[in-house]
Amino acid sequence: MKSPELIIFDVDGVLVDVRESFDRTILAVVRQCTGRRVARGEIQRWRSRSGFNDDWALSYVWIRQLGGRVRFADVKRLCNGLYWGRNGDGFVCRERWLLPRAVLRRLARRAELAIFTGRTRRELRCALQRFGVEEFFACTVTQDDVRRRKPDPEGLRRILRGRRPDAALYLGDNVDDALAARAAGVPFLGVLPRNSVARRLRGAKLRRLGALALLGHVAELESWLDRE
């Protein structure tokens, strides 16, 4: 493809490492509600299915499948309690930013940057402010900004604002990201660590859904664009 005018990023697993935040929250809530320890790798199996981009929904359905009797509202409350902690000292503190600032700055010089994420507005704002990268993103769309969540392409279309879809590029790591991109007509790049469970489970699926390539790390985007 030609150099995109607009580069749109998913957040979790692409810009931010959430293995010790959202993933740990899911494991803890499932154990708390069922009394059972579940394997971290199973989270990737859930995320390899459409409809589980939302960790609250993932946790709720998993708990119910294991026989736990709990309301969705209670799962959401437990997840938020563990993630945020009492004063922002929860698992959120364990997140890591993945895209080096120098690379981010160079990307911002070659294209407009945006975010389309399943995070809430509060969760996204916290991450961007904590890592000091708000200035690089011209537009951000969260689950609070759309009526229909991924895999619906509403969020991507809001970011496009009438621009040609093929002038943009969307980077994501799960099936719903790829489905949203395909529905919006936006070229898609998968981001899945090499030799990871996520890549083994989802790599071929993302390819079938139209991924132009699978990057092992978001920082590889720069060299991929140069090759193209």
Side-chain angles (χ1 to χ4, degrees), residues 135-166:
E135 64 183 286
F136 295 105
F137 299 98
C139 179
T140 60
V141 174
T142 71
Q143 65 165 261
D144 297 325
D145 303 314
V146 295
R147 296 176 61 186
R148 298 174 298 277
R149 301 180 186 178
K150 299 176 190 178
D152 193 280
E154 179 186 349
L156 289 175
R157 289 174 176 155
R158 286 174 65 99
I159 294 172
L160 289 171
R161 297 191 300 275
R163 287 176 287 193
R164 291 179 17 252
D166 62 0

Side-chain angles (χ1 to χ4, degrees), residues 199-217:
R199 194 180 184 99
R200 177 168 55 82
L201 292 174
R202 291 199 295 280
K205 289 184 179 181
L206 297 190
R207 288 279 196 182
R208 287 196 298 270
L209 290 170
L212 300 176
L214 296 179
L215 306 183
H217 191 282

Side-chain angles (χ1 to χ4, degrees), residues 53-204:
N53 187 57
D54 183 330
D55 289 344
W56 298 331
L58 189 162
S59 302
Y60 174 72
V61 174
W62 198 355
I63 289 166
R64 298 286 292 185
Q65 187 183 86
L66 292 173
R69 296 183 178 274
V70 63
R71 299 181 305 164
F72 179 78
D74 293 328
V75 171
K76 181 177 176 180
R77 175 179 53 80
L78 290 170
C79 286
N80 281 335
L82 288 169
Y83 179 74
W84 291 111
R86 291 184 177 274
N87 298 294
D89 59 353
F91 292 150
V92 62
C93 296
R94 304 185 183 192
E95 292 184 340
R96 294 189 306 110
W97 183 259
L98 294 171
L99 186 55
R101 192 178 186 86
V103 178
L104 183 58
R105 185 178 293 109
R106 289 195 296 269
L107 289 171
R109 285 199 293 262
R110 69 192 296 170
E112 179 182 325
L113 305 185
I115 285 174
F116 174 36
T117 177
R119 283 190 173 219
T120 65
R121 192 178 300 113
R122 179 190 178 194
E123 290 164 352
L124 177 61
R125 185 185 303 117
C126 175
L128 296 183
Q129 290 179 348
R130 180 180 172 209
F131 297 113
V133 294
E134 279 184 296
E135 64 183 286
F136 295 105
F137 299 98
C139 179
T140 60
V141 174
T142 71
Q143 65 165 261
D144 297 325
D145 303 314
V146 295
R147 296 176 61 186
R148 298 174 298 277
R149 301 180 186 178
K150 299 176 190 178
D152 193 280
E154 179 186 349
L156 289 175
R157 289 174 176 155
R158 286 174 65 99
I159 294 172
L160 289 171
R161 297 191 300 275
R163 287 176 287 193
R164 291 179 17 252
D166 62 0
L169 179 66
Y170 185 39
L171 282 79
D173 70 328
N174 65 42
V175 170
D176 283 350
D177 294 331
L179 287 170
R182 186 171 69 173
V186 173
F188 178 74
L189 276 182
V191 182
L192 296 169
R194 290 179 178 79
N195 303 315
S196 66
V197 173
R199 194 180 184 99
R200 177 168 55 82
L201 292 174
R202 291 199 295 280

